[in-house]
Amino acid sequence: MAKQGSRGASGPPQFSGEEMICVIYGPEAYLQRHYLDQLRDAVTKSADADVDVLHFDGPAATLADVLDELRGIGLMQQRKIVIVEDADQFVTQYREALERYADGPTDASTLVLRPGKWNASWKLHKAIVKVGAVAKCEPLKAAAARQWLIQHAEADHGRPLAAEAASALIASLGNDLSRLSSELGKVAASGPVGELIEVEEVEALVGRASDEEAWEIQAALLSGDAGEAIEIVTELLELSNKPAELLTYFAADLVRKIHHAAVLLDAGEPTGAITKRLKLWPPDRASATLAAARRMGASEAARLLATLVEMDRRAKSGFATADRNLERFGVLFARGLG
């Protein structure tokens, strides 16, 4: 039997990469994505090869199709992850059959169920924790969210975060990790790497850098018109007095979403599930982002993101200016759309 990772529904999971069935559930979307990424990394490391990831839309999926995918391994393929999104109806309809599968699952694939709710008293739960893991994704309490912010500020952005500044973020935004992560990125982008983020910086930027301001530059990029993108950048810099580093963050956030959407589209995930997972809203913004993902593709989006990160690094090191970098990036983005 394969070595399992975390077997309970409390605390962060410790994936071994040999889990045959996993359940990732709960209302905290950021943790769901984070745990799914951790599982994918662990399986890839365990297999020592590329791992194919496939998505099924739970309400439309049949058990036969999912099991066929789990058991069907190509000649060159060693491991596969099969994810059933919005799996509540799927689990309800096929729970007894899933119990039988859990008694003897294939060790060549990992089944991931992503329902909204889960019952630890089920026989299915007990069968799954013997061969895999169950991860519950609940909102963090204020103290845990504050510690999470402090850790991620330095690990992800290279800037230490004062405890008072972390508390100010939570007081302003609540404890939704997706929103906290987004706003933390905006604040961190406004100053140099290594500089402490104080509460005054949070109070000055959070709320002022609204979603509408972010969308203004993102919409200009998505238009594919480099001239329009440069015009919007100039307007925000000179007339609205927005920091160039903040606008760089807005551009990077868009390219990350395009890359993530392109990867999920390539994996066959339904557009509705992608929209929900990446929080693409309202519908016109979701459509524009998904259209860009189809036109650009995952590899080009990854290349553009790496280019923008390098531009930002050079600007912060004094080798270029952030405003000039944004103008150059507008041209590169338009070319990437084709």
Side-chain angles (χ1 to χ4, degrees):
M1 180 177 290
K3 179 183 176 182
Q4 290 84 47
S6 172
R7 293 192 175 191
S10 61
Q14 301 296 322
F15 296 116
S16 69
E18 298 180 16
E19 291 81 7
M20 290 174 277
I21 308 177
C22 291
V23 178
I24 300 176
Y25 76 103
E28 180 49 74
Y30 183 96
L31 284 181
Q32 285 202 30
R33 294 193 299 271
H34 178 63
Y35 291 158
L36 192 57
D37 288 342
Q38 283 189 331
L39 175 63
R40 184 185 296 113
D41 291 344
V43 172
T44 301
K45 182 178 180 181
S46 175
D48 194 25
D50 290 338
V51 173
D52 199 10
V53 181
L54 298 103
H55 296 262
F56 282 89
D57 181 21
T62 67
L63 181 66
D65 287 342
V66 172
L67 293 181
D68 284 348
E69 198 62 66
L70 285 166
R71 292 165 175 158
I73 298 295
L75 293 176
M76 302 298 293
Q77 188 178 327
Q78 296 185 27
R79 285 295 298 275
K80 183 188 296 185
I81 298 175
V82 177
I83 303 171
V84 181
E85 307 284 356
D86 298 321
D88 295 272
Q89 179 178 322
F90 183 85
V91 171
T92 299
Q93 184 173 356
Y94 299 115
R95 197 168 85 202
E96 291 185 1
L98 288 168
E99 290 169 2
R100 293 192 293 272
Y101 176 75
D103 286 337
T106 175
D107 60 2
S109 300
T110 299
L111 170 63
V112 180
L113 301 173
R114 296 187 65 188
K117 297 181 180 180
W118 189 253
N119 192 330
S121 68
W122 284 341
K123 180 181 177 181
L124 177 59
H125 173 89
K126 296 176 174 63
I128 287 175
V129 296
K130 293 179 181 178
V131 297
V134 175
K136 186 176 184 179
C137 305
E138 289 188 307
L140 300 183
K141 302 294 185 182
R146 182 167 55 250
Q147 188 60 34
W148 181 89
L149 280 167
I150 291 170
Q151 291 174 350
H152 281 262
E154 190 139 26
D156 295 347
H157 304 289
R159 294 191 63 187
L161 177 69
E164 295 83 356
S167 296
L169 277 165
I170 294 167
S172 176
L173 303 168
N175 60 350
D176 180 274
L177 294 186
S178 294
R179 193 174 181 196
L180 286 172
S181 177
S182 176
E183 293 297 321
L184 175 62
K186 294 175 186 177
V187 174
S190 68
V193 171
E195 183 178 280
L196 179 68
I197 300 173
E198 300 277 12
V199 66
E200 292 80 9
E201 193 172 354
V202 170
E203 291 173 346
L205 288 173
V206 173
R208 192 180 74 184
S210 68
D211 287 342
E212 290 303 320
E213 291 167 348
W215 179 245
E216 193 169 0
I217 186 171
Q218 291 172 351
L221 289 169
L222 287 169
S223 73
D225 186 333
E228 180 182 348
I230 292 172
E231 183 178 338
I232 291 295
V233 166
T234 302
E235 179 182 326
L236 289 171
L237 287 172
E238 297 181 358
L239 300 182
S240 300
N241 200 31
K242 299 299 178 188
E245 294 82 4
L246 188 60
L247 302 188
T248 300
Y249 174 82
F250 291 155
D253 183 57
L254 172 64
V255 182
R256 287 190 191 96
K257 288 177 179 176
I258 290 173
H259 176 258
H260 201 169
V263 170
L264 295 174
L265 285 169
D266 288 344
E269 185 162 349
T271 56
I274 296 173
T275 298
K276 180 179 178 181
R277 183 171 174 181
L278 300 185
K279 295 191 173 182
L280 303 178
W281 189 259
D284 59 330
R285 299 184 186 182
S287 297
T289 304
L290 290 172
R294 293 187 181 95
R295 291 171 63 185
M296 186 176 291
S299 60
E300 177 63 15
R303 188 189 69 79
L304 281 173
L305 183 58
T307 298
L308 186 57
V309 169
E310 176 61 16
M311 285 180 172
D312 185 54
R313 185 194 67 78
R314 288 179 60 81
K316 289 177 178 177
S317 301
F319 293 106
T321 60
D323 53 348
R324 177 63 68 181
N325 282 343
L326 282 168
E327 293 176 358
R328 288 179 54 212
F329 184 75
V331 175
L332 294 174
F333 190 95
R335 290 175 182 170
L337 285 175

